[in-house]
Amino acid sequence: MYLVGFLLLLGPLVTLHELGHYLVARWFGVRSEAFSVGFGKEIAGYTDRHGTRWKLSALPLGGYVQFRGDMNPASIPDPNASVEHGSFQDAALWKRALIVAAGPVANLLITIAIFASLFAIYGKPSIVAAEDSRIIGQFSETSVAASAGMEIGDRIIAIDGVPVEDFDEIRGEIALYPSKDLIVTAMRDGVEREFSMTTERVEVSDSFGNTSVIGQIGVGPSDGEYVIEPVGVFESVPLALAHSWDVLEMMLTGLKQVVTGERSIKELGGPVKIAKYSGEQMSLGLVAFVNFAALISLNLAFINFLPIPALDGGHLAFYAAEAVRRKPVGPVATEWAYRTGIAVVLVFMVVVTVNDVTSLAFFGSLFGS
């Protein structure tokens, strides 16, 4: 199930990512020498009338499009290749930038399209009596809010100065920040009060045993009922954009917390964990799997926009430097930058793969014993 889910997830997402590069390049007259689904030895393929070799390769861990003038599938320019008409290097700087950006942009569009479709088909969850859902109706046994002096009936109106409209927003402003000092603003008897507290660090597990760390203050709403509201097709797109932005903000916050040490690097995942989650989400049904695909597509877009040589963002960084300098970065500096970028990516892949493998039940029990 893991393998099937992984192939059904990453295969189409990476192919569409590369197709974004290919289509924009084709639009600008840049020729593609190869378009591969997978890496390694070719299993099957054919050459079209434009000279592009379309092929299925042995390792289904991604894919690539190789333009004329590239030294390898990572689109590293060949310093020994002559700049000929139809090559990537012959294209204007702005065209090269758009070709490179087209891949991650394709993933962004896929994410938005999936979220918009889900909203249009199934509607959006909302809370009836949303304002009342901000009223505290209960405390947990270890509630830091109760310890800070909050009482049943207090209406929470802001977290760290950020206004909240319903209980979902309260939870959203707290869950991402375990062990964080914050100020909760609430109304009691018509008087605005502020309460200082530190969020509780709580480890939660899903039905598959996957754990994550969240922040809590130990309060529950007194009222508010979740319902599904119908959404029109035109309304679904702005909702999808807003939801994509919210998810991206959560990703950025989580990554920042890993860098600053607030979260463990073990919370990062790689191919093995993606395969595991893919199989699990597929077992929950089509909607869960498609929603997970949207999240992974957004991750692909984000990662590829990072300014790391050998990734799309690295190429864009070189083009920005070229625009400022009014000439390309030298071949020696380019080669060393790409080597360094590839090394960084490989080290990162090793780290997340070790995390993935040791998090599996078998290895977890082995190392735990």
Side-chain angles (χ1 to χ4, degrees), residues 127 156 159 164 166-177 214-217 219 221 226:
I127 303 177
I156 298 175
I159 307 292
V164 290
D166 55 38
F167 189 75
D168 275 351
E169 291 192 8
I170 295 172
R171 183 162 41 199
E173 291 293 330
I174 293 171
L176 278 176
Y177 304 99
I214 64 171
Q216 289 185 352
I217 61 173
V219 300
Y226 282 90

Side-chain angles (χ1 to χ4, degrees), residues 194-243:
E194 292 186 344
F195 302 88
S196 299
M197 64 193 75
T198 302
T199 58
E200 187 177 2
R201 192 177 190 89
V202 180
E203 186 175 280
V204 295
S205 300
D206 62 16
S207 57
F208 298 101
N210 302 309
T211 61
S212 58
V213 176
I214 64 171
Q216 289 185 352
I217 61 173
V219 300
S222 66
D223 203 354
E225 176 187 358
Y226 282 90
V227 296
I228 302 297
E229 289 185 3
V231 172
V233 174
F234 295 107
E235 185 187 357
S236 68
V237 175
L239 282 174
L241 286 168
H243 185 59

Side-chain angles (χ1 to χ4, degrees), residues 58 210 228 236 264 284 300 336:
N210 302 309
I228 302 297
S236 68
S264 170
L284 296 176
L300 286 174
W336 278 105

Side-chain angles (χ1 to χ4, degrees), residues 69-72 76-82 89:
D70 287 345
M71 188 162 56
N72 57 33
I76 298 176
D78 185 353
N80 299 317
S82 58
Q89 301 307 318

Side-chain angles (χ1 to χ4, degrees), residues 27 44 51 116 125 127 136 161 182 209-210 229 242 265 296 303 345 363 369:
W27 185 22
I127 303 177
I136 298 175
L182 53 76
N210 302 309
E229 289 185 3
I265 195 172
I296 296 300
I303 290 171
V345 172
F363 288 95
S369 61

